Amino acid sequence: MTRERAARGRPSRTAVMLLVAALALACAVWTGGSWYASAHDEQAAFARTRDAALRAGEQAVQNMNTLDYGDLARGLDVWEQSATGDLLGELKGSRTQFEQQVRDARTATTAKVLSGAVTELDERAGRARVMVAIRITVVTADKKSTTKDSRMLGELTRTSAGWKLSRLGQAPVGDAPTPSTGPSTPSGS
């Protein structure tokens, strides 16, 4: 077979390069379209909102159950930064009395989140409810330490600064009645 005849049976380099470029362009368009669709998917947006509420709820519950008498002002400031609405009002209204109680008791309380879940989410109303399991450790003035696992129910309200706790209480155990819907302060401190 002559060279000329063999060359006619094979595609040219230019044709191969055009084919590769077309395939690359098709892959780029498909990938971009898939990314755009998933970024604008309502379910994905709802999941992002749910995850943000859960992160904020877990952190706020941890904050509200962590307080050291040695750094009381900062700890109570963190409590107030974690709260909104009636709960924030209650915290501010009882701050002086509570500060004195914690100073007298000389306790340091720390909380660690074990797990959490969003139990309800209303994006339009800007409200969410979370259940958070925490481990609370209390160290007394005589350096004795006690640890207790607890489940907390929190209601979050979306504010311009993000999700904040508007209610907080103990989760019922067994056949115990559900907690009141009013604001309550954390029980671990």
Side-chain angles (χ1 to χ4, degrees), residues 80-148:
E80 290 178 8
Q81 293 165 7
S82 300
T84 191
D86 291 341
L87 180 58
L88 178 58
E90 187 177 312
L91 291 172
K92 286 181 174 184
S94 61
R95 183 173 175 141
T96 304
Q97 177 186 2
F98 191 70
E99 279 180 340
Q100 191 59 49
Q101 290 173 350
V102 174
R103 275 197 184 95
D104 291 347
R106 298 178 54 94
T107 58
T109 305
T110 56
K112 176 185 176 190
V113 173
L114 302 175
S115 66
V118 173
T119 61
E120 187 177 326
L121 176 60
D122 185 341
E123 284 184 286
R124 287 186 183 146
R127 264 184 308 201
R129 291 191 176 166
V130 294
M131 179 182 286
V132 180
I134 57 174
R135 178 161 294 143
I136 302 168
T137 304
V138 180
V139 179
T140 60
D142 60 358
K143 303 297 181 204
K144 290 185 180 174
S145 175
T146 59
T147 301
K148 171 186 163 188

Side-chain angles (χ1 to χ4, degrees), residues 61 131-134 148-153 169-174:
V61 169
M131 179 182 286
V132 180
I134 57 174
K148 171 186 163 188
D149 290 349
S150 182
R151 290 181 306 167
M152 306 293 290
L153 292 175
Q170 291 284 327
V173 178

